[in-house]
Amino acid sequence: MPRHLGLDLGGTNVKAVVLDDSELVANATFPTDAPRGPRAVVDRLAEVARWATDHHGPVETIGLGVPGLFDPTDGRVLLFPNLPGPWSGYPLRARLEEELGRPVHMINDARAFTLAEGTVGAGAGCSTLVCVTLGTGIGGGVMIDGRLHLGAFGVAGEIAHQTVLPDGPLCGCGNRGCVEALARSDVVAAAAGRPTVEQVYAGVAEGDDRCIGAVRGAAGWLGIALANVVAVLGPDRIVVGGGIASAGELVLGPIRDAVRARVTLVPTDRIEVVAASLGSYAGAIGAALAGIEAE
């Protein structure tokens, strides 16, 4: 059975999976070493790829999920807003291929998450699927008839970079008033007066009013964005994942309520907003699936 490697590059960790076709064989997590810059990150990715082949045999394809935008023609980084270092213009794909001596297929990490959840996860079988990941940043993706929809410029699905508050706070993408600038994890934590968003979720469970208000505020901005998506795309289902998975209905409930409050064109009881099902390795699984599709 041919095997396939998926790597998910994050600011803190690199997650890796090995698949037999679409079945999970192995998974592991390694520190990214991001503060040391792009060269150190490439070295770490190459180290993880070698670990996979040393322990689980040769792989036919390698897929890499990355936290931002890149030029699909040559794999140069265009925007990594949440990864430190001089990344703009960096030839990431070429450097990694030099290290490994073989082709690497790149995909945005949120699109990789979408591909995984839409193929073998909570969105499997949907005709039109929208996925959102909530974490350090906010990512998104769209699948139509079982395939990722990337649009004319290869970046369709950037749900978090809709402008929902004109002249609002500056976003990492350079625009103002994006959903990400208003609802990403550090903004929620600051609004709640807690050091981390995980502690905010704990505060919600404890009934802390400030934490509840912070989550509802972020959910309100997300609700505007997702209601827009419902009006434009009419998805069968919206899948929400990322760091909020462990919080469950504490976060999903307010998001679902906010979306339904904004939608007027379809019956609100038909709008499905559900939790992702593949856990923290969804992005790596999607990267591996993208590598398979690119064969």
Side-chain angles (χ1 to χ4, degrees), residues 1-26:
M1 183 76 70
R3 292 191 168 180
H4 307 274
L5 174 62
L7 303 172
D8 181 16
L9 172 60
T12 303
N13 294 310
V14 175
K15 293 185 172 66
V17 301
V18 177
L19 303 184
D20 268 352
D21 193 13
S22 60
E23 296 295 321
L24 183 65
V25 173

Side-chain angles (χ1 to χ4, degrees), residues 7-197:
L7 303 172
D8 181 16
L9 172 60
T12 303
N13 294 310
V14 175
K15 293 185 172 66
V17 301
V18 177
L19 303 184
D20 268 352
D21 193 13
S22 60
E23 296 295 321
L24 183 65
V25 173
N27 58 270
T29 299
F30 303 81
T32 300
D33 215 10
R36 293 179 57 202
R39 182 69 250 182
V41 171
V42 169
D43 290 343
R44 179 50 50 88
L45 289 168
E47 176 187 327
V48 173
R50 294 186 186 106
W51 165 87
T53 55
D54 288 348
H55 288 80
H56 302 287
V59 296
E60 288 201 0
T61 62
I62 299 174
L64 171 64
V66 298
L69 303 180
F70 59 92
D71 186 330
T73 61
D74 62 11
R76 288 182 179 271
V77 173
L78 300 176
L79 178 69
F80 276 12
N82 299 306
L83 200 67
W87 282 101
S88 181
Y90 187 80
L92 177 56
R93 187 172 70 201
R95 293 289 183 268
L96 187 56
E97 289 179 342
E98 287 171 6
E99 286 291 325
L100 299 178
R102 57 183 307 170
V104 174
H105 179 76
M106 287 174 64
I107 182 173
N108 169 271
D109 57 359
R111 255 72 87 194
F113 166 85
T114 301
L115 181 59
E117 289 289 344
T119 303
V120 295
C126 289
S127 175
T128 304
L129 173 69
V130 168
C131 290
V132 182
T133 60
L134 307 179
T136 304
I138 300 175
V142 175
M143 286 185 74
I144 299 175
D145 295 332
R147 298 189 65 82
L148 279 175
H149 177 68
L150 299 177
F153 307 106
V155 298
E158 287 290 343
I159 292 162
H161 294 292
Q162 295 179 65
T163 302
V164 292
L165 181 63
D167 301 320
L170 184 66
C171 181
C173 73
N175 186 30
R176 287 189 174 275
C178 291
V179 178
E180 180 170 293
L182 294 158
R184 66 179 188 265
S185 60
D186 65 325
V187 173
V188 176
R194 300 279 179 121
T196 68
V197 74

Side-chain angles (χ1 to χ4, degrees), residues 245-257:
S246 61
E249 287 299 315
L250 293 177
V251 176
L252 276 179
I255 292 174
R256 190 181 293 118
D257 292 344

Side-chain angles (χ1 to χ4, degrees), residues 216 219-220 222-224 226-227 249-263 268 271 273:
R216 285 180 176 167
L222 283 164
I224 294 172
L226 293 174
E249 287 299 315
L250 293 177
V251 176
L252 276 179
I255 292 174
R256 190 181 293 118
D257 292 344
V259 174
R260 289 175 174 172
R262 294 276 177 179
V263 171
T268 56
I271 301 170
V273 181

